[in-house]
Amino acid sequence: MTIKVGDRLPDATLSEFIDVETEGCTLGPNTFKVSDLTRGKKIAIFGLPGAYTPTCSAKHVPGYIANAEALKAKGVDEIWCVSVNDAFVMGAWGREQKATGIVRMMGDGSAEFTKAIGMEFDLTARGMGVRSQRYSMLVEDGVVKQLNLEAPGKFEVSNAETLLGQLG
């Protein structure tokens, strides 16, 4: 069942490649519980089919980078890009997209989070396996406040501009 407005995010894990070691985060892939990361925060999350895919690389990620300051001015604490890729791929793609320090590139390598929110998309016939549908959501303290799910093959409502326009 697909997650909806008012639902709490599932207690899944995501991974992130950390480029600079800090207290509590070692260099390389680190795994985080979604419930821990969302506690007490307002987070803009966007999901996409895969790192380095054309629309995701040319429009989706750059749009959130370009609108990051405007989102933060509306009270968003963090912006996450979630994809069914491992932390190494997400980290490399984030560096290439110049997302470091702006958008957290969160890997969902086994699609645990994606399946738990009902956003999986089977692209096995196209050689890509299980991926994520394209979506965006605003989450406050772990609860979904806004949700924008794209129709297959579309990029019309999960962009940063749409989510920004929904913030009060």
Short mmCIF file of all heavy atoms in Angstrom, two decimals, residues 10 12 18 27 57 62 73 83 109 115 124 153:
data_model
loop_
_atom_site.label_atom_id
_atom_site.label_comp_id
_atom_site.label_asym_id
_atom_site.label_seq_id
_atom_site.Cartn_x
_atom_site.Cartn_y
_atom_site.Cartn_z
N PRO A 10 7.95 4.63 7.58
CA PRO A 10 8.29 3.35 8.19
C PRO A 10 9.68 3.40 8.83
O PRO A 10 10.51 4.23 8.48
CB PRO A 10 8.29 2.39 7.00
CG PRO A 10 8.60 3.25 5.82
CD PRO A 10 7.95 4.58 6.11
N ALA A 12 12.59 2.23 8.52
CA ALA A 12 13.53 1.59 7.59
C ALA A 12 14.91 2.23 7.77
O ALA A 12 15.07 3.15 8.57
CB ALA A 12 13.02 1.78 6.16
N ILE A 18 29.63 9.23 3.36
CA ILE A 18 30.15 10.40 4.08
C ILE A 18 31.56 10.69 3.58
O ILE A 18 32.44 9.83 3.66
CB ILE A 18 30.15 10.15 5.62
CG1 ILE A 18 28.75 9.77 6.11
CG2 ILE A 18 30.72 11.35 6.36
CD1 ILE A 18 27.68 10.83 5.94
N LEU A 27 34.09 7.90 7.65
CA LEU A 27 34.31 8.06 6.23
C LEU A 27 33.76 6.84 5.50
O LEU A 27 33.98 5.72 5.92
CB LEU A 27 35.81 8.23 5.95
CG LEU A 27 36.21 8.52 4.52
CD1 LEU A 27 35.67 9.88 4.09
CD2 LEU A 27 37.71 8.49 4.38
N SER A 57 19.20 13.17 -13.59
CA SER A 57 20.45 13.93 -13.62
C SER A 57 20.30 15.33 -14.20
O SER A 57 20.96 16.26 -13.77
CB SER A 57 21.51 13.17 -14.42
OG SER A 57 21.89 12.00 -13.75
N PRO A 62 19.17 18.67 -10.05
CA PRO A 62 19.52 20.08 -10.19
C PRO A 62 18.42 21.03 -9.71
O PRO A 62 18.71 22.10 -9.17
CB PRO A 62 19.76 20.24 -11.70
CG PRO A 62 20.18 18.88 -12.15
CD PRO A 62 19.36 17.92 -11.31
N ALA A 73 14.30 28.51 3.45
CA ALA A 73 13.64 29.74 3.90
C ALA A 73 12.19 29.47 4.32
O ALA A 73 11.63 30.21 5.11
CB ALA A 73 13.68 30.80 2.79
N SER A 83 17.15 6.97 -3.70
CA SER A 83 17.12 6.13 -4.90
C SER A 83 17.55 4.71 -4.54
O SER A 83 18.31 4.51 -3.59
CB SER A 83 18.06 6.70 -5.96
OG SER A 83 17.97 5.95 -7.15
N GLY A 109 19.71 0.74 -1.25
CA GLY A 109 20.22 -0.32 -2.10
C GLY A 109 19.37 -1.55 -2.25
O GLY A 109 19.30 -2.14 -3.33
N LYS A 115 10.06 0.01 -0.82
CA LYS A 115 8.98 -0.98 -0.73
C LYS A 115 8.07 -0.68 0.46
O LYS A 115 6.85 -0.83 0.38
CB LYS A 115 9.55 -2.39 -0.61
CG LYS A 115 10.17 -2.89 -1.90
CD LYS A 115 10.79 -4.25 -1.71
CE LYS A 115 11.44 -4.75 -2.99
NZ LYS A 115 12.12 -6.05 -2.79
N THR A 124 12.44 -4.66 -14.20
CA THR A 124 13.23 -5.85 -14.52
C THR A 124 13.26 -6.11 -16.02
O THR A 124 14.31 -6.45 -16.58
CB THR A 124 12.68 -7.09 -13.77
OG1 THR A 124 12.70 -6.79 -12.37
CG2 THR A 124 13.51 -8.32 -14.04
N GLY A 153 6.77 7.44 -16.11
CA GLY A 153 7.41 8.14 -17.21
C GLY A 153 7.25 9.65 -17.21
O GLY A 153 7.71 10.32 -18.13
#
